[in-house]
Amino acid sequence: MNIKLRILKTLKNIETFYPFDDIKSIQDISGLTSLQNDEICIGLYENFPREKNERILITDKRLYLFRNKLWENIDFVNIEKVGIDFNENENVAFANIKNDAEYLTLSMKKGEKFLLPVKGRKGQFKDIFLFWRFLKLIVNNRS
C-alpha cells in the first residue's frame, strides 16, 4: 500500500482531517506557499476547527506544523521513534493520563525530541491515538 493510501486509511475518521487532491487548495487553506517539487500533498489536520495555529499539513514526505505564525517541517526519514507524551505523572490513574495526552513525542535520528500537538477528540476517542498509529506505520514500514 502506498504512503498516501496508508495515511488516508488511518486518518479518515478524524473529524478535523481534510484530505486534498490539488495543491492549490492546500496553499489557499494552509497559507503554506510552497512544497518540495516531488512532494504529494495528502491533507490537513486541525487541532482546533478553523484555527490556523497548530495546524499540521501532511505530505508523502513530511509533516508541516504551523505554530507561532511559522511553518516547521519534520521529515519522515528523520523520525526514529514515535511515542505519546503522557506527562509521566506516576500518581495519576492511567485512564486519566490517556485522556489528557495531547502531544506525540518524535525522537529524531540526531537525538532531538520534537513534541507534535494532536489535541482533537471525537466522542470518547482522542485523535492522538490514530495519529500515533499513522506515524508508527510510516516509521516502521519505510523502505
Side-chain angles (χ1 to χ4, degrees), residues 36-83:
Q36 302 296 322
N37 288 337
D38 61 343
E39 243 175 320
I40 298 169
C41 204
I42 296 171
L44 183 71
Y45 172 77
E46 294 180 329
N47 274 292
F48 305 103
R50 294 173 297 284
E51 280 191 31
K52 288 185 179 180
N53 201 38
E54 295 189 336
R55 282 181 167 181
I56 302 169
L57 182 66
I58 303 163
T59 75
D60 64 324
K61 308 252 189 264
R62 61 193 51 86
L63 301 172
Y64 292 89
L65 171 64
F66 187 74
R67 178 170 38 198
N68 301 323
K69 299 181 182 178
L70 296 172
W71 285 100
E72 302 173 60
N73 66 49
I74 304 118
D75 293 350
F76 293 139
V77 296
N78 292 331
I79 301 171
E80 188 168 332
K81 190 168 102 177
V82 181

Side-chain angles (χ1 to χ4, degrees), residues 51-134:
E51 280 191 31
K52 288 185 179 180
N53 201 38
E54 295 189 336
R55 282 181 167 181
I56 302 169
L57 182 66
I58 303 163
T59 75
D60 64 324
K61 308 252 189 264
R62 61 193 51 86
L63 301 172
Y64 292 89
L65 171 64
F66 187 74
R67 178 170 38 198
N68 301 323
K69 299 181 182 178
L70 296 172
W71 285 100
E72 302 173 60
N73 66 49
I74 304 118
D75 293 350
F76 293 139
V77 296
N78 292 331
I79 301 171
E80 188 168 332
K81 190 168 102 177
V82 181
I84 298 173
D85 183 34
F86 290 114
N87 297 322
E88 300 183 27
N89 184 344
E90 295 176 13
N91 299 322
V92 179
F94 181 72
N96 290 340
I97 293 171
K98 199 170 160 181
N99 285 329
D100 292 340
E102 293 187 334
Y103 292 90
L104 290 174
T105 303
L106 307 180
S107 299
M108 309 307 279
K109 288 183 177 178
K110 291 185 178 180
E112 319 88 17
K113 294 210 184 269
F114 187 89
L115 289 178
L116 184 70
V118 183
K119 300 176 180 180
R121 160 184 240 115
K122 182 178 181 182
Q124 68 183 35
F125 300 105
K126 294 199 60 129
D127 297 348
I128 195 168
F129 297 103
L130 287 173
F131 223 93
W132 171 76
R133 183 172 170 234
F134 132 66

Side-chain angles (χ1 to χ4, degrees), residues 7-17 122 127 130:
I7 292 169
L8 291 173
K9 182 179 178 188
T10 308
L11 300 181
K12 69 181 176 187
N13 292 323
I14 294 179
E15 195 172 314
T16 57
F17 172 72
K122 182 178 181 182
D127 297 348
L130 287 173

